[in-house]
Amino acid sequence: MQDLDSLVAVGDSFTEGMDDPTPNGTYAGWADRLAAMISAHRRDFRYANLAIRGKMLQEIVDEQIPLAVALKPKLVTFCGGGNDIMVPGSDPDAVAEVYEIAVADLRAAGAEVLIFTGFDTKHTPLLRSLRGKIAIYNSHLWSVADRYHCRVVDLWSMTVLHDRRAWSEDRLHLSPEGHRRVALRAAEVLGLTPEDKWNAAWPPLAGEAWMTQRRQDLKWAREHVVPWIGRQLRGGSMGDGLAPKRPELTPVHADHR
């Protein structure tokens, strides 16, 4: 995309950048890292990030999509629906219908759209039961991408993210290295040629005893999964009261190049 002079990122915690902390107390994440890569090639490039942790898809559509349209960027990155899919009893077909309406609005406004599929949860305890729903949702996203001529970052096929080092302690959000890998993949999809490879092999990792892994799984479920489900069922969110970290299109500094 030779004429890529502006990018607006919309979404939830994945796009906000949890858990990729910066020295100033905010999060960087794949979107900030991608923006820095693009800026290195185009100095007039501007970037906004409207994503807020915990947002459900309808909230993203109602609160962020109109702002993105108003900013009139060349490209919008759009990842959403994961929080909806994780709610017990949710319908991926219905979630995809909401997603498509938002893509149609963005395309009608003249923006290119970069779509992100859901992750493969095969290697995540408890969450692996969601694989079927995520696969159905992903199929819809590929169809939406085809209908509206969108590029796709296929997170499902990124087997490099199956390594636990790609994830933070809560296993719900990427680690800094996980975010870096996604940024590299997104840059590749956009036609850039990063020096580093997103699918480079991880260094060898010493194995752990089966019992130790199971204890860690139980601790993780107790401290992270159960509280998350409780918040969703109560209608609460980690992002309640938070504002976007980067609400306007502004030049990108070299922090994450």
Side-chain angles (χ1 to χ4, degrees):
M1 299 184 69
Q2 298 293 330
D3 57 346
L4 179 52
D5 62 357
S6 53
L7 163 64
V8 174
V10 300
D12 50 31
S13 58
F14 169 67
T15 303
E16 183 186 349
M18 294 176 71
D19 281 320
D20 184 12
T22 67
N24 65 9
T26 63
Y27 292 106
W30 66 264
D32 285 18
R33 293 171 180 271
L34 173 63
M37 292 180 200
I38 299 172
S39 179
H41 295 273
R42 180 153 185 161
R43 294 299 172 176
D44 63 343
F45 177 76
R46 296 172 301 141
Y47 164 60
N49 191 321
L50 308 177
I52 296 177
R53 68 197 75 172
K55 291 297 182 180
M56 308 296 278
L57 182 57
Q58 191 64 59
E59 293 178 305
I60 296 171
V61 171
D62 292 342
E63 300 168 8
Q64 298 177 28
I65 297 298
L67 295 177
V69 168
L71 291 172
K72 299 181 179 179
K74 175 64 179 179
L75 175 69
V76 175
T77 64
F78 185 17
C79 185
N83 288 329
D84 301 72
I85 297 298
M86 289 178 66
V87 174
S90 62
D91 179 359
D93 298 326
V95 177
E97 289 178 3
V98 176
Y99 190 98
E100 180 166 0
I101 292 171
V103 171
D105 288 344
L106 290 169
R107 295 293 284 133
E112 301 286 342
V113 180
L114 181 64
I115 288 175
F116 289 73
T117 71
F119 295 101
D120 184 356
T121 58
K122 177 180 180 179
H123 298 283
T124 308
L126 297 183
L127 298 185
R128 64 170 59 99
S129 63
L130 298 173
R131 290 187 80 215
K133 290 171 65 174
I134 297 171
I136 292 171
Y137 187 56
N138 285 350
S139 295
H140 284 298
L141 296 184
W142 279 104
S143 296
V144 169
D146 182 61
R147 283 193 289 273
Y148 295 92
H149 308 290
C150 306
R151 303 192 191 206
V152 180
V153 176
D154 187 12
L155 298 175
W156 180 281
S157 70
M158 289 184 66
T159 55
V160 69
L161 299 179
H162 294 172
D163 190 287
R164 69 187 188 191
R165 287 167 288 185
W167 297 89
S168 65
E169 182 181 351
D170 69 7
R171 306 188 198 180
L172 299 172
H173 301 102
L174 293 171
S175 65
E177 178 60 16
H179 278 287
R180 191 180 75 88
R181 301 273 185 146
V182 170
L184 291 168
R185 180 70 179 114
E188 183 179 274
V189 170
L190 292 175
L192 301 178
T193 53
E195 293 182 5
D196 295 334
K197 299 294 185 182
W198 62 267
N199 56 355
W202 294 86
L205 182 66
E208 291 180 338
W210 183 89
M211 186 59 71
T212 299
Q213 294 181 15
R214 298 295 78 76
R215 290 196 186 101
Q216 291 176 346
D217 291 344
L218 292 172
K219 181 175 182 289
W220 163 72
R222 183 175 62 252
E223 295 181 357
H224 298 288
V225 177
V226 173
W228 186 93
I229 293 175
R231 281 195 302 270
Q232 300 307 115
L233 293 177
R234 293 191 301 270
S237 167
M238 293 186 299
D240 289 345
L242 295 181
K245 66 177 183 179
R246 196 180 177 103
E248 301 291 339
L249 282 170
T250 55
V252 178
H253 300 297
D255 299 354
H256 299 288
R257 289 180 192 163

